[in-house]
Amino acid sequence: MDANKFMARALELARYAAENGDVPVGAVIVRNGEIIAEASNEKEATKVPTCHAEMLVIERAALKLDRWRLIDCDLYVTLEPCIMCAGAVVQSRLRSVTYGAADPKAGAVESLFQVLSDDRLNHRPNVVTGIMAEECSQVLKDFFAERRKGL
């Protein structure tokens, strides 16, 4: 299944983020069955609070396609998007969002808020959850367990 292939790449990017001291979240945007943009969290590296994997990958896809409407593109991300990233999904008109692990503390797709299914908004992408959820969750658990050891 392609969803697993794309999520596996996002998971590789999440691990890269962890190796560089950032919360391990990775994301790819796919168009016509091919990855056109990829990113991992860069908040710690850049010291910029908006450098979430989703924000970066959306920007990179828009620049690559030279358009802000990503209506024929699909986002794969290892962690449920936060409210900022869910807003960017709506603004960019992504066709779908597939995420691995739920985020009970900050998730804005299903956990805390339901931004992507809110009828009051002008765009509602298709949402798929739970793809490689255990692997996506484990990389986060390992990262924070390692961080707690250092405190």
Side-chain angles (χ1 to χ4, degrees):
M1 174 185 236
D2 283 345
N4 286 338
K5 176 178 88 171
F6 300 134
M7 191 61 75
R9 178 59 185 146
L11 196 51
E12 289 175 11
L13 294 161
R15 289 185 180 110
Y16 175 81
E19 290 168 10
N20 289 286
D22 265 292
V23 174
V25 177
V28 299
I29 289 186
V30 174
R31 181 173 178 254
N32 297 329
E34 292 185 30
I35 294 174
I36 63 162
E38 55 186 39
S40 57
N41 271 359
E42 296 181 13
K43 279 174 53 172
E44 296 298 330
T46 62
K47 309 297 186 245
V48 176
T50 58
C51 283
H52 288 201
E54 301 96 309
M55 299 294 286
L56 294 169
V57 79
I58 289 169
E59 180 179 348
R60 290 171 187 168
L63 291 171
K64 179 169 185 150
L65 297 175
D66 195 30
R67 58 184 163 93
W68 64 267
R69 287 182 188 88
L70 303 177
I71 58 172
D72 57 346
C73 297
D74 306 297
L75 171 67
Y76 293 81
V77 61
T78 57
L79 182 65
E80 179 181 1
C82 71
I83 197 162
M84 173 182 68
C85 295
V89 166
V90 171
Q91 290 300 314
S92 63
R93 312 298 196 265
L94 281 160
R95 176 174 49 200
S96 71
V97 174
T98 299
Y99 68 86
D103 186 352
K105 293 183 178 180
V109 178
E110 294 180 323
S111 295
L112 291 181
F113 305 100
Q114 295 76 43
V115 172
L116 301 186
S117 60
D118 193 317
D119 289 337
R120 296 170 294 178
L121 298 175
N122 64 335
H123 180 71
R124 288 175 299 285
N126 185 48
V127 174
V128 177
T129 66
I131 301 295
M132 297 179 67
E134 185 54 42
E135 296 95 325
C136 294
S137 179
Q138 193 61 52
V139 74
L140 287 157
K141 289 175 186 173
D142 293 348
F143 176 80
F144 287 110
E146 197 62 34
R147 264 207 162 157
R148 283 189 291 277
K149 284 183 192 175
L151 296 179

